[in-house]
Amino acid sequence: HNTAKMVEPANPDNPIVFFDISIAGHAVGRIKIELFADLVPRTAENFRQLCTGEFRKGGLPIGYKGCKFHRVIKGFMIQGGDYLNGDGTGKECIYGQFFEDENFILKHSSAGLLSMANSGPHSNGCQFFITCAECSWLDGKHVVFGRVLDGMKVVKMIENVPTVNGKNSERPSMEAVITECGEL
């Protein structure tokens, strides 16, 4: 199949958001994502507001702009969204520190799915991952709430960034950053 072709949204009423990505300071393209607000509305809304800057603290927009992908596992997934600490330890959401697993209707059945990263049941915050392959062992543990409509080549570029040697071998050696994000 042609990865350059844009996939049509499953539901035309679902929001579509975007990430403009740079790797090592060079713009590499845009990822367009459909959020499944029809199936997981609370999860989709959390992510949408963190993309648009609607979520504010102290009057300032808080969210994914300037955030990096801190964890990359080739053949599995790319993880980002820790705008607090940038290393996978930060947890916050538009509802407070964390929120519940909304449901597990959708499965990790292919590459290009957007799912919540967590630290156990009902611990969703701001961190997310995009699958690079089928990951069925995550079904029932992580909430799938969107899918890449366009920009899988950008996802693949992030997936293929070499990782730093050492015990934290999932950390990219070059920063993959969300330079701009919002709703289309």
Side-chain angles (χ1 to χ4, degrees), residues 41-120:
R42 279 175 59 80
T43 309
E45 184 60 13
N46 178 65
F47 191 86
R48 190 191 68 76
Q49 285 195 33
L50 293 173
C51 285
T52 62
E54 285 170 62
F55 178 59
R56 293 176 177 264
K57 275 181 21 186
L60 297 171
I62 302 292
Y64 297 140
K65 184 175 178 174
C67 194
K68 64 185 178 186
F69 285 85
H70 63 271
R71 187 173 178 226
V72 171
I73 305 176
K74 192 169 167 56
F76 175 27
M77 60 95 199
I78 61 172
Q79 184 174 332
D82 181 1
Y83 58 81
L84 293 164
N85 303 330
D87 61 3
T89 60
K91 187 180 293 179
E92 179 176 69
C93 68
I94 67 169
Y95 311 113
Q97 190 182 10
F98 50 86
F99 66 105
E100 74 288 346
D101 294 323
E102 197 163 5
N103 65 55
F104 298 113
I105 293 169
L106 298 160
K107 307 302 179 204
H108 299 79
S109 56
S110 68
L113 295 171
L114 179 66
S115 186
M116 289 302 291
N118 64 37
S119 53

